[in-house]
Amino acid sequence: MVSIKDVAKEAGVAISTVSKVLNNYPNVSEETRNKVNEVVERLGFVPNAVAATLSSKRTGRVALLIKLNLHTQASDEISMQYISGAIHKAKELQLDVITVFTSMIEDMDVAEVTSYFASQGIKGIIIYGMTTKDKVLHKLIDSGNFKIVVVDAPMVNESTSSISIDHAKAQYDVAKKTITENKCKKILYLAGDEDGYVTEERLQGIKKLCDEKKCKLTVRNGKFSELRARELTMKYAKNSDCVVCASDIMAIGAMKALIDMDIFRPVCGFDGIILMGYAGKQMNTVRQDFAKISEEGLMELNRLMSGEKGRKVAVKHELVRIKYEDIIC
Amino acid sequence: MVSIKDVAKEAGVAISTVSKVLNNYPNVSEETRNKVNEVVERLGFVPNAVAATLSSKRTGRVALLIKLNLHTQASDEISMQYISGAIHKAKELQLDVITVFTSMIEDMDVAEVTSYFASQGIKGIIIYGMTTKDKVLHKLIDSGNFKIVVVDAPMVNESTSSISIDHAKAQYDVAKKTITENKCKKILYLAGDEDGYVTEERLQGIKKLCDEKKCKLTVRNGKFSELRARELTMKYAKNSDCVVCASDIMAIGAMKALIDMDIFRPVCGFDGIILMGYAGKQMNTVRQDFAKISEEGLMELNRLMSGEKGRKVAVKHELVRIKYEDIIC
DNA sequence: TTGTATGCGTTATCAG
DNA sequence: CTGATAACGCATACAA
């Protein structure tokens, strides 16, 4: 394995000089810089990230903390987009990222989790899909030991930023479009799990809309479950003229149920996942650009790691209809 | 962060002694061992994995090399299952695994990829979904620098094992079941991409079956694409009485096309992905237990890393029908 | 502008 | 059985 030492020897300079070139320090002559770069290229040298993080107290590595939910593959799609967005941006920012799945740390306490991340040279973490129940993660955030960006949860402090779309507005928007198109008056709203931070926000959105439009609103807890959405739809849809869902997966469950019941009700979802193209009927939904959210999350984390304070970052959403013809490839 | 130095000081012993206790070296007195362990426990010390891999040349970490395919979310589901299986087993085997996505290494040459993995302290790699076109990966395997397990590609040498189901037999089985149930005689076979190792094997399976059953076989390259499967079905299905597909995603494309054409032909797929539940009609398919394949892959890698030679590992498959009712949750 | 020396947290070697 | 001490590959304050 070619090391910085080999490069230094080959280029006839000191190790520290090579290091400076690699890290784009200003005080290196153009000549030496070129010489070193030439050797780096020729020897195919890639700096040892492990040694680098060990050595410097600087920009450490970044961990993507992903929830592995085996049961619903909708979340697979979302997770993958989160990952790919982050990786893409990491390349650009020259950050070393690793992915950590919650299952790996699920039975650790805060101290252990902290040690685990520290032992991996992690300085910053992006947490995806945190719920109110994740006690350990809350403590981790409060500890201030890491720079953290939380996606879709309103945690902000000195070393923590949050990033998300405006869930209330998005829910308001998509529902408004749907009920306006269909002149609905009696809304069945299938909410998300009460543990989810976004659940309450989305609920505020639909409530505001129903107040404004003087619609009758029936709220049921669909727990982000397709099956539960199906059952609730079977039970309550007849007395409503529209089904608004807090997630696409529930929207699909509701739509399939309506088809089986052989009655029509407009349905709208939330997330914009590809699976919507397989639901059988088109629906309005909120498209969240998960890859982009993740990219911006990484940029925000980069900001935090360079000493800035935590803050709230908002991302735009858009309304779409997902058709089978559009998603097939 | 508490380090080995702190433990040593607190326990009143040398750093090296602590290290020996941590790594279960034999030549340490029971007394010191207990004392050190007590301090380790009390201080909540967790060894720094980064420093450890830097220092030692021993059993390194394991990398899961995953293909990130943004366009088809069927592969998301499969990748996630691979990952979760590997992580689960890694915990059990006490291996440190990291996930690497092909996009991170796509424009590196062998030397760079080698350095990259080495720089991460990687000793073993599991490669998922390798194609004949992945020149760099082929060289990586030939180099013998890493212990490697390749999933679904027949690469075996001193330090490389392959693991997969018997694709020829599986294709044979699922097609046989389908044509027997429906008394078919003219098979349209939508094959996978020619770059895929499994493509040829599956093709052998269907050919053998058609020989035995004296069926007319029409083979078309569906390239594992749902859209292409749709087009090919539109074009050729009328002259066949059955559509056998080398992947579920193509089976779904074919089925949707048949529904749109308003003709019936039995269709069968391959993989057993959950998306099959949303295809509209039930189909036979081969269920590959991706999580289990990954688990066994990790066990095999562990074997390689402890000095054993590469070999071919076979995994069982089963025939299933995926119903919406079964996959919803 | 360049080089020297020291340290990061471990493991490994070799005296004691 | 135990403890110095030299690597491991790199970053960086400091000296030249």
Side-chain angles (χ1 to χ4, degrees), chain B residues 9-301:
Chain B
K9 191 184 293 175
E10 180 77 13
V13 297
I15 291 180
S16 47
T17 305
V18 177
S19 178
K20 283 167 196 164
V21 172
L22 293 174
N23 296 288
N24 285 314
Y25 275 55
N27 48 347
V28 180
S29 74
E30 199 58 30
E31 196 187 332
T32 4
R33 187 179 297 280
N34 291 147
K35 190 169 52 183
V36 170
N37 279 327
E38 184 269 319
V39 176
V40 165
E41 201 65 34
R42 182 152 50 80
L43 267 49
F45 167 73
V46 176
N48 184 324
V50 174
T53 56
L54 214 209
S55 173
S56 101
K57 301 285 97 184
R58 261 193 350 176
T59 48
R61 312 160 78 192
V62 169
L64 311 179
L65 188 54
I66 309 273
K67 270 225 162 72
L68 214 52
N69 194 336
L70 282 177
H71 304 298
T72 143
Q73 50 92 264
S75 67
D76 290 348
E77 180 187 340
I78 296 175
S79 296
M80 279 304 190
Q81 288 192 38
Y82 277 145
I83 292 175
S84 93
I87 291 198
H88 175 77
K89 203 65 181 181
K91 232 177 167 177
E92 201 177 308
L93 298 176
Q94 305 221 48
L95 283 174
D96 194 20
V97 330
I98 71 167
T99 50
V100 175
F101 298 89
T102 46
S103 65
M104 297 177 73
I105 60 168
E106 66 193 353
D107 30 48
M108 299 184 186
D109 60 29
V110 208
E112 288 170 327
V113 172
T114 304
S115 302
Y116 174 72
F117 281 125
S119 84
Q120 300 280 356
I122 301 295
K123 291 285 168 355
I125 307 172
I126 302 189
I127 301 179
Y128 300 94
M130 191 171 113
T131 71
T132 55
K133 278 192 174 165
D134 294 317
K135 302 295 180 198
V136 171
L137 294 183
H138 281 95
K139 288 186 193 162
L140 194 71
I141 291 172
D142 291 340
S143 79
N145 283 326
F146 301 96
K147 301 296 185 180
I148 298 180
V149 170
V150 190
V151 176
D152 277 349
M155 325 258 76
V156 173
N157 66 29
E158 191 79 5
S159 56
T160 311
S161 286
S162 80
I163 183 169
S164 78
I165 62 168
D166 183 337
H167 291 276
K169 181 163 189 341
Q171 185 66 85
Y172 176 95
D173 289 346
V174 71
K176 180 173 182 180
K177 178 160 186 245
T178 306
I179 71 169
T180 306
E181 286 170 354
N182 298 277
K183 302 189 177 42
C184 307
K185 280 295 166 189
K186 294 185 292 184
I187 318 293
L188 170 60
Y189 182 70
L190 303 184
D193 200 304
E194 55 244 331
D195 301 332
Y197 282 105
V198 296
T199 297
E200 182 56 30
E201 294 180 45
R202 293 182 191 169
L203 195 53
Q204 294 312 320
I206 190 73
K207 277 183 179 164
K208 177 166 176 249
L209 177 69
C210 289
D211 275 357
E212 283 180 19
K213 296 283 180 185
K214 307 258 185 287
C215 289
K216 175 167 171 286
L217 175 64
T218 308
V219 176
R220 287 293 175 273
N221 183 357
K223 299 190 174 182
F224 292 130
S225 152
E226 186 170 354
L227 181 57
R228 214 172 142 73
R230 179 183 177 82
E231 293 166 351
L232 291 171
T233 301
M234 297 263 185
K235 198 161 172 188
Y236 299 106
K238 285 215 178 87
N239 301 319
S240 313
D241 54 15
C242 176
V243 185
V244 175
C245 301
S247 79
D248 283 346
I249 206 75
M250 288 194 289
I252 293 170
M255 180 55 85
K256 292 233 177 213
L258 288 167
I259 291 174
D260 289 352
M261 294 164 73
D262 202 25
I263 64 175
F264 174 76
R265 297 285 183 280
V267 176
C268 66
F270 202 115
D271 280 340
I273 63 177
I274 290 177
L275 196 56
M276 282 292 261
Y278 297 86
K281 274 204 159 62
Q282 288 181 31
M283 292 176 262
N284 289 323
T285 188
V286 173
R287 176 168 144 69
Q288 295 198 61
D289 189 335
F290 299 107
K292 181 155 174 262
I293 290 175
S294 204
E295 286 190 21
E296 299 208 7
L298 203 66
M299 289 171 63
E300 179 60 20
L301 189 55

Side-chain angles (χ1 to χ4, degrees), chain A residues 50 91 99 103 226 278 324, chain B residues 91 99 103 119 226 278 324:
Chain A
V50 175
K91 232 177 166 177
T99 50
S103 65
E226 187 171 354
Y278 296 87
Y324 178 66
Chain B
K91 232 177 167 177
T99 50
S103 65
S119 84
E226 186 170 354
Y278 297 86
Y324 178 67

